Each structure stands twice: as C-alpha cells, then as structure tokens.
Amino acid sequence: MAAVVDIDALSAQLGVNWSEVNLDSIQLPPGNNFGIESDDEAVYHDDQSEFDTGFGNIIVVDHLPVVPKEKFEKLEGVLKKIYNQLGVIKENGLWMPVDPDTKMTLGYCFIEFNTPQETELDCLTMVVYILRVCFNVWGSLQEAQNAKEKSHGYKLDKTHIFAVNMFDDFDRLMNVREEWEPPQARPYVPGENLQKWLTDEKARDQLVIRSGPDTEVYWNDARQKKPEPVHKRPYWTESYVQWSPLGTYLVTLHKQGAAVWGGADTFTRLMRYQHSMVKLVDFSPGERYLVTYHSQEPSNPRDASKVEIKVFDVRTGRMMRDFKGSADEFSIGGPGGVAGASWPVFRWAGGKDDKYFAKLSKNTISVYETETFSLIDKKSMKVDNVVDICWSPTDSILSLFVPEQGGGNQPAKVALVQIPSKVELRQKNLFSVSDCKMYWQSSGEYLAVKVDRYTKTKKSTYSGFELFRIKERDIPIEVLELDNKNDKIIAFAWEPKGHRFAVIHGDQPRPDVSFYSMKTAQNTGRVSKLATLKAKQANALFWSPTGKYIILAGLKGFNGQLEFFNVDELETMATAEHFMATDIEWDPTGRYVATAVTSVHEMENGFTIWSFNGNLVYRILKDHFFQLAWRPRPPSFLTAEKEEEIAKNLKKYSKKYEAEDQDVSLLLSEQDREKRRALKEEWEKWVMQWKSLHEEEKLERQDLRDGEVSDVEEDEYEAKEVEFEDLIDVTEEIVQESM
C-alpha cells in the first residue's frame, strides 16, 4: 500500500494524472524493454525463478597479476580500460583487496557497474520503471552480466587469463547445504536425429521454396517426376530462409531475432537467437556459430546507419560477442550488403574447425580467434589501402588485394598470409591495375586472380589472370592471357574438386567460352587451353558440384538459354530454354539442377527440375515465387580412393538401382494405363448417358416435327455423288507470234 502512495506522490510531483494515462500507449526507448515482457510467444526471455539478491551489478575478476603498491594504479587503469568498454563502472566501483602483510594485491578484484536507478529516464518511463521495481520484477542487470560473458577467459597475457563470476554466484554458493542431496533424475527424452534425412532409402535430396506466405520443404522425387511434400508452414519467416552449410539447420528470420529448425520431416525449433529486427544471417563453415546483422536508419539522412552484429553459439544460443558501429565501419570489401554495409562482414577461415574469422576495415584487417573471440595477438594487421580479403576454403590462408597508391608509383599487390602466425607466404606486385578479383578453387589448391589493367593510353583496359599453385613449393605463379587480350571477361568459374576452369569472354550477345586445365597428361606444371566454344548465348557458368558437367546459361537479357556441356568429352549433351529464368542451382549430388523464375517477373513464376544431362524431369508453377534452395549435404566419409573404386565398378553397384528404376518405371506406366483406362470409362459412361437421354426424347422430337421421323440410322441414308461445273474467272491474254 505504501508503494502505491509513493507512486501517487511521485505522479503528483511530475504532474501526471493517472486517470488520463494509457499504459499500453507508452513507447519505451528502442532496444530497452525495462523488463516488460512482450505478448509475442517468440520473445527470447529465460525465466528466472529467483529474484536478484541486490548484488547483481557486481562481478568478481580472478587470476589477475599480483602486484605491489607502486603498480597498483597501472593495473587499475588497464582493468578500467577493458571494462569501461563493456559498461559504465560506478564511481569508486573497482576494488582490489591487498594483503596487509605483503602489501601485494591478492590477484582478484570487484567491479561494480551502474544500476538502473542511475540511468536518466523521461517522466513517464520513470513511472513505469518504478512500477516494475515496486512489484520486484526487474530483470538481472545487463551490464554486469554482459561484462562477465565477454571477459571470462580474456587473455591479459600468457600467464593471466581472467576468470569472471557474478558476485551473486558466491552468495548462492555460500548457502549450499552441507548435506548432499542427489538431484532428481529426469527421464531421458531422445531428440530427433538431425542427420536422419541423409538416410533416405531413395537417396533423394531436399529443397525449400518460398511462395506467397508459405514456406515448403520437399523431397526431389525424380523417379515419380514430382516433388514429395515434407513440411509446409505459412508465415514461417518474415523475410527469407537459409540452410546451414552442412544442411543440419534451417534458419528463419523474425522481428525478435532468428531461429533454427532441424530434422527430416518435423522441423522442430532447436534454438532462438535474440536480435531485434535482424536482416541478415551467416553461418560459420562448420555450423558452430551464427552471425546476425541489424542496421537502423538514422533520423538525420546525412548520418550513417547504425549497425549491430552478433555472433551466437548455434547449439547453446549464447551470444559470444557483438560488434556495433556505423555502416561506414563495415562497408569495405564484400560482394553486397544492406544499408551500405558489406555482407558478409565477417569472413570465416576455411575448414570445419571455425577457428578464425576476419573483418576488413580501412587500412586494417582484424582477425579474431573463436576460443576467446578476441583479436589474435590483441592487435589488427595494418595494411595500407587494403580493399579486399578472401580465405582459402580449406586452410587458414588469407589472400588480400591492395590497389596502386601514389598515382601508380607504388604498385598494386596480391599477398597470401598464413594465420595465426601472420607470416606472408607469397606476394605478387601488379602494375597499371584498374581492378582485381580473387577466385579460390574449392579444394584450396589454386587461386585465380583476375587483373584488369590499363592500356598505355589509359583510355581502355584489358584482362588477364595470375594463377597461384598453393600446394606446390614456393607457391609458383603463372600468368594467363586470352588469345585476344582485349576480350572482356564476362564470367569465371573453377571446377569443384577439379583442376579446370571456364571463362566467358568476348562481346555480347554471342561471346566465346573457353576451358583451361591447370594440369594435363602432357604438361602437369603449366596451364593449358582445352577448347574454345565460339559464339554462345551465355553470360553465366554453373559447374556441377562433382565437376565434369557445366551449364552455360544465358540469364536476364538472354531469356533463359541453357546448354548442358560435358567437359570431359567436350561435347554438348542438350540445349534447352527456361524462359525468363532468374536463378540456377545444382543439387548437392550433381544429379539434378533447378532453374527458377522468381517474382521479379510477373509471369511464369515457379521452378523446373532437369537431369544433369539436360532432360526435363518436371515443372512446378507457383504464384509469387520468391526463393528456392537445395539442402546441402556434409562431405562424404569415403576416401578419394574408395570413391575412385566405386566409380570404376559403377556397373556392379548400379544394377540394384537400375532394377529399382525399372520397377518404378513399370509402376508409372501402369499408373498411366490406369489413368487412361479411367478416362476412357468416364468418356464411355458420358456417351451412354447422352444416348439414353437422346432415346428418351425421341417421341418428343417426333411430335415437334408433326409425326415425321427425324432419327434415321446411318445405314438408311443413300449417298449420291453430284458433279457440277462453275465458272470462276475469265482471263484474256494476247500472245505475240515470234518472227
């Protein structure tokens, strides 16, 4: 009752009339809910069964250096510098106990952060805040908790690694009962096997599509010539969906954050990640971490957008670290982005270990290690004017590009840097460079650098390639120029798991397509051209994930021209067209490929499934079709030798599947016959009904014709042939006699 009186008194002091206040209309500051839960079921809030003890804003930092009184201020300054980045330390809020005998610190300290009572609030928000405090529902203090999560395990130096705990934890541990009580056993509830979809007896692949409000997952059942529905849910996501790199998870985006789902058919929600108004997500290659991105438009158009990026542990949902700043700080390099920031902002090192990720900034490359989510060696790499970085897909090798500086006096360069040692493995200086693009081969064996150079007059450019052989001694570099070096390079693509690459070059609308190999039987150490296909309607290249086959595609202005090409035999297997196709994506096995027309076009929305050699399998039309994505497969456990053995003995293994295909084909044929038989029976039934009706109305027709019989059988008709002549036209022509 006293609390209510206090509130009334404060209301009178602030000039607030409670009878005129609509609490539901109060808008809290962005990013701060002041402990008021949303009615939305997707709010990411962990229930707390205990109230704060009063020390929730204090942390205890252990494993500090033990120093004498003379170094006390220096150590205190270091700690304040670290923790002031994570929150506001209360005045005189850092206390390091000292041994009274030795006058040395004891190796730990207490840090107290500002409490919510010390935060400036507007009048109405203050009243709401007091209401929450009066009813003891204020949540845990975020600054202290955030400082604990981000600094626990921080390496001050090699011998001092912070161990950080909440002060309340000590209070709780001191109250542990002296007599041990066994925990109550909970029955084991096995979860769904997240890799179960890989054990499909028909060895099918899954794909997800989005059309209208619906998100649907299908099996690609090419034998049945149609997709088999797996899971469908309306309004499953508020923007798009994305598979994780190994196909374990499907991520959806919502106003409150992101969520991951898994399984073969149930797609149960596995974890949520709180990040309000998330716009983009990205997984680490080994699926251990999820990066989420949010940007907020400024109130002043001249200001840069505010960006917040969070890195979560996928399995636990714990936020490992967040990064905040203006869009300008995240806008250097990268293929694309939102609100000026490049995406992905963080580039992950190759392999499944997920050890390192890098961020490109102005004149700086920041490489973080995921053990503590801090910078390697606590400092970034300083590289003047660096504009692009790219990781090897398999190793911790970072390639970087630096353009020319000083008006051409300082050449451009491409360098390879080993991480974490930061040792430069190889460097190549490049002169008269206009632009540069780096392409790693999927096995990390080769790096192709497309270099656009100025001519001597500086009025035009020409292109060539610098080819790095990463696995060979001293990383030799080869220069490749096209036969006509003035040809414009339209597209480039490495063969996955192979040593070949394809280039589209020349002038539109019919450029040439050339194939090259980094090693041939005659020449293993030099690049050689295999063939050039002249005058092709193509502007994009799509290799099969297993290599050997490639689609030469003409998208956009070419209206969906498709050429299925066998690079081993250097022959065209088929040509086709998917009119207005916008997207092409191979399934992870390389057996089938999907072409799609998304809603950027108003007509023919939907997708088509083709076999690897260009046979049409089936076509599905969907209004307002937005997205198609195949579910990735993890790498095979088979060794390269075992895969080679299977390829050599494919006929032996294929007998079983050929028999199954024959059975399915017979079943489909029988189904087609049954369908035709049913249609014939339906037609005959319809004819008999009309004949019966015709017979019933015979007398009525006869009465209408004054008793004359009008229904005459065909054999009662007499056929007569009549010939007649008709003059159609008369033409007079004077023919002169020859002398």
Side-chain angles (χ1 to χ4, degrees):
M1 191 67 183
V4 176
V5 173
D6 292 341
I7 294 171
D8 289 339
L10 180 59
S11 302
Q13 181 181 346
L14 296 174
V16 176
N17 186 351
W18 278 109
S19 62
E20 299 176 358
V21 174
N22 180 6
L23 293 178
D24 293 332
S25 68
I26 297 176
Q27 299 293 318
L28 300 179
N32 198 339
N33 61 9
F34 293 95
I36 303 174
E37 290 193 30
S38 168
D39 292 333
D40 196 317
E41 56 125 10
V43 168
Y44 309 137
H45 177 72
D46 295 329
D47 292 330
Q48 291 190 358
S49 57
E50 298 180 5
F51 296 119
D52 292 337
T53 61
F55 299 102
N57 61 326
I58 301 176
I59 61 172
V60 183
V61 185
D62 203 355
H63 297 173
L64 298 178
V66 177
V67 299
K69 187 176 181 180
E70 307 86 71
K71 296 184 178 180
F72 183 91
E73 289 186 6
K74 183 177 180 181
L75 178 58
E76 186 181 53
V78 170
L79 292 173
K80 286 184 176 180
K81 183 177 179 181
I82 294 171
Y83 283 97
N84 272 326
Q85 299 178 40
L86 304 175
V88 180
I89 300 176
K90 193 174 183 178
E91 187 177 355
N92 300 321
L94 193 154
W95 177 52
M96 279 190 290
V98 176
D99 189 317
D101 298 327
T102 63
K103 305 301 181 182
M104 303 280 282
T105 60
L106 296 175
Y108 63 89
C109 75
F110 300 88
I111 300 177
E112 183 178 2
F113 290 92
N114 277 347
T115 61
Q117 287 88 336
E118 297 164 314
T119 304
E120 293 185 6
L121 306 173
D122 59 62
C123 294
L124 283 177
T125 306
M126 177 68 81
V127 174
V128 175
Y129 164 73
I130 293 174
L131 279 171
R132 305 302 291 177
V133 172
C134 289
F135 290 102
N136 293 314
V137 241
W138 185 266
S140 61
L141 303 182
Q142 293 300 313
E143 284 189 347
Q145 187 67 35
N146 185 48
K148 177 207 166 187
E149 291 180 356
K150 292 184 178 180
S151 64
H152 181 72
Y154 177 81
K155 291 182 180 180
L156 188 64
D157 52 43
K158 292 183 179 180
T159 57
H160 297 93
I161 302 175
F162 288 1
V164 185
N165 292 280
M166 302 297 295
F167 187 85
D168 279 351
D169 291 341
F170 289 91
D171 187 43
R172 177 173 52 83
L173 294 173
M174 292 298 293
N175 294 324
V176 173
R177 297 179 182 178
E178 294 186 5
E179 294 183 4
W180 179 76
E181 294 181 2
Q184 186 177 359
R186 296 182 180 179
Y188 172 68
V189 180
E192 183 178 5
N193 181 1
L194 298 182
Q195 274 70 45
K196 182 182 176 183
W197 63 279
L198 293 168
T199 63
D200 178 58
E201 293 181 355
K202 300 178 183 178
R204 298 172 298 180
D205 283 291
Q206 287 187 348
L207 65 155
V208 63
I209 67 169
R210 290 179 51 247
S211 59
D214 298 327
T215 302
E216 302 170 79
V217 180
Y218 289 99
W219 287 112
N220 173 39
D221 202 331
R223 287 175 172 174
Q224 300 289 342
K225 299 186 183 300
K226 62 181 180 180
E228 180 183 314
V230 175
H231 192 83
K232 179 179 179 179
R233 187 176 300 187
Y235 304 104
W236 198 357
T237 182
E238 295 183 28
S239 57
Y240 68 98
V241 295
Q242 181 175 320
W243 295 108
S244 59
L246 306 180
T248 308
Y249 310 106
L250 180 70
V251 63
T252 57
L253 276 59
H254 311 272
K255 289 181 180 179
Q256 295 81 13
V260 295
W261 314 73
D265 46 28
T266 59
F267 283 92
T268 55
R269 184 173 56 209
L270 304 174
M271 187 56 62
R272 297 161 166 174
Y273 312 93
Q274 185 175 0
H275 193 172
S276 179
M277 305 302 292
V278 60
K279 293 183 178 179
L280 297 168
V281 295
D282 184 40
F283 282 94
S284 61
E287 301 184 338
R288 293 181 61 188
Y289 304 105
L290 177 71
V291 183
T292 60
Y293 171 98
H294 163 68
S295 64
Q296 183 176 351
E297 296 296 330
S299 55
N300 187 342
R302 290 177 293 181
D303 295 337
S305 301
K306 298 296 182 183
V307 169
E308 181 181 23
I309 299 173
K310 295 184 179 182
V311 185
F312 294 93
D313 184 293
V314 170
R315 298 190 66 182
T316 65
R318 177 187 173 192
M319 188 184 73
M320 309 306 296
R321 178 158 182 180
D322 65 346
F323 299 82
K324 298 179 181 180
S326 68
D328 295 339
E329 299 175 45
F330 300 98
S331 61
I332 300 177
V338 172
S342 304
W343 188 256
V345 170
F346 297 121
R347 326 285 175 82
W348 289 91
K352 293 167 55 179
D353 295 335
D354 295 344
K355 281 188 175 181
Y356 309 106
F357 62 94
K359 179 175 75 72
L360 181 62
S361 305
K362 186 176 181 180
N363 301 325
T364 302
I365 302 173
S366 302
V367 183
Y368 300 85
E369 47 86 16
T370 54
E371 185 178 348
T372 63
F373 279 84
S374 57
L375 287 169
I376 294 177
D377 299 331
K378 300 183 184 178
K379 56 185 178 182
S380 299
M381 299 167 54
K382 301 298 182 183
V383 184
D384 289 341
N385 210 31
V386 60
V387 296
D388 197 13
I389 59 174
C390 194
W391 286 98
S392 161
T394 56
D395 303 296
S396 299
I397 299 176
L398 191 66
S399 62
L400 59 93
F401 168 61
V402 179
E404 290 182 347
Q405 302 178 62
N409 294 326
Q410 188 172 341
K413 73 172 182 178
V414 172
L416 300 175
V417 179
Q418 182 75 58
I419 300 298
S421 64
K422 301 181 182 178
V423 173
E424 189 172 89
L425 302 176
R426 194 71 161 89
Q427 177 182 317
K428 179 67 183 287
N429 290 333
L430 305 169
F431 297 90
S432 300
V433 174
S434 165
D435 195 13
C436 195
K437 181 71 175 177
M438 298 177 287
Y439 302 90
W440 279 93
Q441 183 248 12
S442 62
S443 300
E445 296 183 42
Y446 310 108
L447 170 66
V449 180
K450 181 178 79 73
V451 183
D452 298 333
R453 289 184 168 91
Y454 291 110
T455 58
K456 290 183 179 180
T457 62
K458 300 284 187 179
K459 294 181 179 179
S460 61
T461 60
Y462 65 96
S463 301
F465 292 93
E466 305 283 335
L467 304 171
F468 293 68
R469 298 177 180 268
I470 305 299
K471 303 294 184 181
E472 296 183 19
R473 184 177 179 181
D474 297 330
I475 311 181
I477 303 173
E478 226 176 321
V479 178
L480 172 65
E481 290 187 350
L482 302 177
D483 294 340
N484 181 358
K485 70 177 186 178
N486 293 322
D487 277 359
K488 178 183 177 182
I489 295 176
I490 299 169
F492 173 94
W494 283 105
E495 176 186 27
K497 302 180 181 178
H499 52 82
R500 296 174 290 199
F501 59 90
V503 182
I504 301 179
H505 56 92
D507 297 325
Q508 303 279 22
R510 287 189 171 271
D512 298 337
V513 181
S514 295
F515 296 94
Y516 296 85
S517 174
M518 295 295 287
K519 57 182 179 181
T520 60
Q522 298 78 18
N523 196 343
T524 59
R526 289 190 61 82
V527 63
S528 56
K529 186 168 76 170
L530 302 176
T532 294
L533 311 179
K534 295 290 187 178
K536 292 294 180 180
Q537 284 186 288
N539 55 13
L541 300 164
F542 298 91
W543 283 95
S544 164
T546 57
K548 184 178 178 178
Y549 306 112
I550 190 172
I551 295 177
L552 313 178
L555 304 179
K556 298 179 180 178
F558 287 162
N559 290 328
Q561 298 295 321
L562 307 172
E563 182 171 344
F564 296 80
F565 194 79
N566 184 333
V567 183
D568 281 0
E569 305 298 331
L570 294 175
E571 65 178 13
T572 298
M573 299 180 291
T575 57
E577 181 185 59
H578 188 172
F579 184 61
M580 296 191 297
T582 56
D583 299 275
I584 297 178
E585 186 172 346
W586 285 88
D587 84 336
T589 65
R591 296 174 295 175
Y592 303 99
V593 62
T595 58
V597 178
T598 57
S599 58
V600 295
H601 297 299
E602 295 182 359
M603 300 171 57
E604 300 294 326
N605 282 189
F607 65 97
T608 300
I609 301 296
W610 312 79
S611 65
F612 73 95
N613 56 354
N615 291 327
L616 175 63
V617 181
Y618 59 84
R619 176 169 291 164
I620 302 294
L621 295 179
K622 291 277 188 179
D623 290 336
H624 305 293
F625 184 75
F626 301 119
Q627 184 183 5
L628 180 147
W630 292 97
R631 189 171 194 173
R633 285 178 175 264
S636 172
F637 290 114
L638 298 177
T639 62
E641 293 77 14
K642 185 63 177 178
E643 289 185 356
E644 187 176 350
E645 177 196 336
I646 293 173
K648 287 181 179 178
N649 301 285
L650 193 58
K651 289 185 178 180
K652 180 180 73 174
Y653 293 105
S654 64
K655 288 181 179 178
K656 170 188 174 184
Y657 302 106
E658 287 174 354
E660 291 180 1
D661 289 344
Q662 184 67 24
D663 293 341
V664 172
S665 179
L666 292 173
L667 178 62
L668 289 175
S669 298
E670 182 61 30
Q671 290 174 349
D672 287 341
R673 283 194 292 271
E674 287 293 332
K675 186 177 180 179
R676 289 195 295 270
R677 188 180 297 114
L679 288 173
K680 182 181 178 183
E681 290 176 355
E682 184 181 353
W683 164 255
E684 290 175 346
K685 182 179 178 182
W686 183 83
V687 170
M688 291 302 296
Q689 288 175 346
W690 278 101
K691 282 185 176 181
S692 175
L693 181 61
H694 187 267
E695 187 65 29
E696 292 174 2
E697 296 174 346
K698 181 177 181 179
L699 294 176
E700 185 178 351
R701 289 196 300 275
Q702 188 172 342
D703 291 340
L704 291 172
R705 290 175 173 80
D706 297 328
E708 183 178 346
V709 179
S710 61
D711 298 338
V712 182
E713 299 296 333
E714 288 187 4
D715 55 3
E716 296 182 12
Y717 283 100
E718 181 181 353
K720 293 183 179 180
E721 291 185 4
V722 178
E723 294 183 2
F724 65 93
E725 294 182 359
D726 189 11
L727 183 62
I728 298 175
D729 191 16
V730 176
T731 302
E732 292 185 1
E733 183 177 351
I734 301 174
V735 179
Q736 296 180 355
E737 294 183 1
S738 59
M739 298 299 293

